Amino acid sequence: MKQSKRTPIALLVMALVGLWLFISAPSGVTMINISTDSDIFKLPDFALNVALICGLAVAVQIAGLLVSGYLVLAKNHKTPRWVVIMFAVALVAEILIGLFAGKTMTFTSLLQGSLALAVPLIFGSLAGVLSERVGVVNIAIEGQLLAGAFVSALVTSLSHNLLAGLIGAMIAGALVAWVLAVFAIKYVVDQIIVGVVLNVLVVGLTNFIFSTLMVSNLPLYDQPDRYSNILIPVLGQIPVLGPVLFNQTLIVYLMYIAVGVVYFVLFKTRWGLRVRAVGEYPKAADTVGINVFRTRYISVMIGGALAGLGGSFFTLGQVGAFGKEMTNGAGYIALAALIFGRWNPIYAAFAALLFGFAENLQYGLAIIGSSVPSEFLLMLPYALTVVAVAGLVGKVTGPAASGKAYIKS
Amino acid sequence: MKRVMKEFTGGSAFLSILAVIASLVVGGILIALSSPEVQSTATYLTARPSDFFQALWNSVFGAYDAMFRGAIFNYKAQDTLQMIKPITETLAYATPITMSGLGLAVAFRSGLFNIGATGQIIFGAMFAGWVGIYVDLPWYVHFPLAVLAGVLGGGLFGALVGFLKATTGANEVIVTIMFNYIAVLLLGYLLKTPILQAPGAVNPISPPVKDSAKYVFFLGDQFRLHGGVFAMIIAVVFTWWLLNRSTLGFRFRALGHNPNAAKVAGINIGLTYILVMGISGALSGLAGTSQILGSEQVLTLGVAASYGFDAITVALLGRSNPWGVLVAGLLFGGLRAGAVTMQANQGVPVDIVLVVQSLIVLFIAAPPLVRAIFRVKVSKEVAA
């Protein structure tokens, strides 16, 4: 079989972007600051020569392109994954160094911000994984996140109890998922329709209650307490990694656990096998005595609860108040991350991190002021996603029965 | 007679009406719950229930009365012109939603989930806007050219998605989501540069479109309704013809039913993806022209409003059937026009419309639920 040329073509496109960045990169140095106050030992700031690093990065990219091109065109092999990863690392490093030329990049806080933006996306994509693996397309991630954000803000404000808010968020997310499940499973309605409509419904309901109830007394209804960071001893004091990964709020730690647990349960337990069987071939699953409907309800609702949890991160973890439509499309990005990550919780989490990183980059650059028009910087993550999806991921196939209602005969 | 009645109550049109009623009832409950008068009279409900029910009636009836006067016919207006203005507002809102909804219907029928209407509307508006603003021609050339540019803009942006899917297998859901962001940002950039920004303007806003490129305001300038409404009708007929009567539409539907079978039958899948997305985008581009050459006349960041997402709901509610999309578009246009009046007169937030709209779609999509709510029995003839 002839290998598709799309990977080398995608690499070529990206290498051209890299080359353009190299040519237009200003001369000078980029200061990198990676130490924070809590570190055990301090690493000094260091300076990197922009032209040198960008040149090296472009060299790596061209090497990767040549390897990929040679293998695919001459040898009819696939492009090895490490080549793609090396290429991507070089491009990202180049973008970072080039954009921060002449400025100081606080690397640690850049990563912290990325993780913060990625948390709801990761929870959202987990919800999608659990739902789609069992055969129910979940477009309603956005609604589940928003419901979680809203209820957690309301409940925490009223009760002054963060745990109550957290549980409220999970219930809210699970409730949206339940409606999705009822319409998809019991009433056999097109799952995409229900998902899209549920998003509108949650936006409508939360906006309505926000403008009629919350606005009338914001201190009472919309001033929840916020999570404080929990520093994990020793781990949290490692430079760079510590402050990014182990000095976080409870929700972030729950996110680590959730990714691991969802992966383990889906791929290593009997229940997970059943879930996947129902999502691939419900009739066969039914024949061997698996309760298709019950499995679908449970998996979809657990997913919804996780998305609700992720939604609470907007209000309890970050902003500290609910705002109209504050999830702002995160659910759709989570959906993209889930497809990008091929319906695998861990890959999806990494894809979500990538989106978080790209989104955070904009804020970092907006603060230091960069020479490139901000719109194009903002566009970069979305454009590169398209190139990546088209070139590197290509045709992905989800669970076979995803989106199809099961009618027991 | 009994049988006729039975057939009627079992039919889908009747169920749709019930679905709308059920949604309005739920909306009414929300309106009542949020009304301060209802809340205050509820505190002495047992002492004087009449106050409570009076307040309840006032809040709900007041809101829906305002909605009716905003969407269909304003019987309280001073003169006839003002009385019929609401229905023209409904049509004006319905025009872009329906056009874009038709585009999505074409994609849905072909098994492609196009979420990119927002981006495609924006591209249509940018292309049409550029021609409308900067080109100098007599109206009989200028206007068609501007519309064509818009249709082409949306169509090319849509076709690009189809091209990517055809050549690389890229998932159209991801690509269209990303393209929406890209389109908004590109518009933002162009509105900050001399390419589209009005000379001397500080805000991201373009110069106005020339008169020679505008849709005709055939009812006079005090109405927002414009010739785009006729373009909408043409688009409905065209989409119906395309999907149900043309060979191309047959290929589209075959692709939607079973891509593998379509491939075996000799249909060029890749080319069909490109055509589907191209036509789908072109109809959203037409919606963009209705915005820029009709309702808005200057290009701003809000040119696509929320029509891109409304269009998804409308296409789904209309079951991707062109006439169904038209009815759904008119319904949503009416709700939107009515909501504006409702907020102005009664202080009910417009967001209630989102709730009612989504409930309508949910209820219509699940007839058994509506039957259960209203305890309508299924007649055997219909059920069979």
Side-chain angles (χ1 to χ4, degrees), chain A residues 4 6 139 179 183 187-190 192-194 196-198 200-205 207-209 211-213 324-325 328-330 332-333 335-337 339-340 343 355 373-376 378-383 385-386 389-391 393-396, chain B residues 27 30-31 34 39 108 113 115 164-165 167-171 173-175 177-179 181-190 192 273 309-310 312-313 316-317 347-352 354-359 361-363 365-369 372:
Chain A
S4 161
R6 59 164 197 267
I139 307 277
V179 178
F183 277 91
Y187 294 116
V188 203
V189 180
D190 185 302
I192 289 172
I193 300 189
V194 188
V196 171
V197 168
L198 275 178
V200 180
L201 180 64
V202 176
V203 168
L205 275 177
N207 279 2
F208 184 78
I209 303 174
S211 355
T212 52
L213 177 80
K324 275 184 170 186
E325 289 165 65
N328 195 19
Y332 290 97
I333 301 274
L335 189 69
I339 301 173
F340 207 172
W343 290 268
F355 285 122
S374 63
E375 281 83 6
F376 287 111
L378 299 174
M379 226 183 261
L380 208 57
Y382 305 120
T385 303
V386 172
V389 166
V393 181
K395 192 172 165 55
V396 289
Chain B
L30 278 175
I31 292 169
S34 68
Q39 284 164 12
F108 295 163
F113 195 57
I115 314 194
L164 286 174
K165 188 174 175 74
T167 51
T168 70
N171 183 296
V173 176
I174 302 190
V175 176
I177 292 172
M178 297 300 147
F179 274 15
Y181 289 102
I182 291 177
V184 172
L185 290 165
L186 186 65
L187 176 63
Y189 172 73
L190 293 177
K192 281 202 324 202
Y273 279 143
F309 275 87
D310 288 352
I312 300 180
T313 331
L316 297 173
L317 180 60
V348 177
V350 280
D351 306 306
I352 192 75
L354 295 178
V355 178
V356 174
Q357 280 176 351
S358 44
L359 287 175
V361 181
L362 280 181
F363 285 139
L369 181 66

Side-chain angles (χ1 to χ4, degrees), chain B residues 165-241:
Chain B
K165 188 174 175 74
T167 51
T168 70
N171 183 296
E172 79 276 8
V173 176
I174 302 190
V175 176
T176 49
I177 292 172
M178 297 300 147
F179 274 15
N180 282 344
Y181 289 102
I182 291 177
V184 172
L185 290 165
L186 186 65
L187 176 63
Y189 172 73
L190 293 177
L191 285 176
K192 281 202 324 202
T193 53
I195 301 172
L196 276 176
Q197 191 175 30
V202 187
N203 300 327
I205 191 167
S206 77
V209 172
K210 292 205 176 79
D211 281 340
S212 52
K214 284 178 193 165
Y215 282 102
V216 189
F217 284 76
F218 55 90
L219 288 176
D221 282 342
Q222 68 268 49
F223 290 98
R224 289 201 317 121
L225 186 62
H226 53 77
V229 72
F230 300 114
M232 171 184 81
I233 306 286
I234 296 169
V236 173
V237 176
F238 165 77
T239 314
W240 169 81
W241 173 83

Side-chain angles (χ1 to χ4, degrees), chain A residues 365-380:
Chain A
L365 289 167
I367 295 166
I368 62 159
S370 182
S371 54
V372 190
S374 63
E375 281 83 6
F376 287 111
L377 289 178
L378 299 174
M379 226 183 261
L380 208 57

Side-chain angles (χ1 to χ4, degrees), chain A residues 127 144 169-171 173-175 177 300-310:
Chain A
Q144 291 160 356
M170 291 179 79
I171 294 174
L175 200 68
V300 171
M301 283 175 70
I302 293 175
L306 285 177
L309 200 58

